[in-house]
Amino acid sequence: MVIDFNKIEEVCNPKFKGGEKEYYVRSYADEHNKIMKGRLEPGASIGFHTHTDDCEVIYVIEGKGKMLWDEGEDEVTAGKCYYCPKGQGHSLINDSEGDLIFFAVVANV
């Protein structure tokens, strides 16, 4: 199956999960997974949340930012991949001057 994110409408989610500004996303979902191409403008964030029933993998395509998680924080840049296992919490913050674009998969485990 091929998912063409260029043909999926971008949706704006203000203050997503309690974050700052807007989270823009193109997504595909079925009964097992949610696959997304996301974008955070400068100063935007996805609020801290815990994955109680699933896990998430985030791969940064473009830009840079900061990932907060239960154990601390890490810088994320293009080419880096972040894994949030079931039971862990995290937040993604664009603290740069350009867009942070990433690919994410939320998988039910």
Side-chain angles (χ1 to χ4, degrees), residues 52-102:
T52 55
D53 298 319
D54 52 31
C55 63
E56 184 170 14
V57 175
I58 298 173
Y59 178 80
V60 178
I61 299 169
E62 184 180 318
K64 63 181 183 173
K66 182 171 34 178
M67 182 70 68
L68 304 180
W69 53 291
D70 289 339
E71 304 297 321
E73 65 181 63
D74 289 300
E75 179 181 75
V76 291
T77 57
K80 288 189 177 178
C81 185
Y82 172 78
Y83 173 58
C84 182
K86 182 178 177 179
Q88 188 175 68
H90 69 129
S91 173
L92 181 59
I93 301 166
N94 182 353
D95 58 359
S96 72
E97 294 185 19
D99 284 356
L100 175 61
I101 300 171
F102 56 94

Side-chain angles (χ1 to χ4, degrees), residues 15-61:
K15 300 188 180 288
F16 189 68
K17 305 247 183 220
E20 298 296 320
K21 297 188 175 184
E22 292 87 19
Y23 164 49
Y24 294 92
V25 64
R26 299 171 192 266
S27 64
Y28 168 84
D30 64 18
E31 64 274 6
H32 301 290
N33 301 290
K34 187 171 187 179
I35 305 167
M36 300 157 283
K37 182 177 181 185
R39 179 171 62 89
L40 293 173
E41 294 178 336
S45 66
I46 294 173
F48 197 90
H49 59 285
T50 301
H51 284 265
T52 55
D53 298 319
D54 52 31
C55 63
E56 184 170 14
V57 175
I58 298 173
Y59 178 80
V60 178
I61 299 169

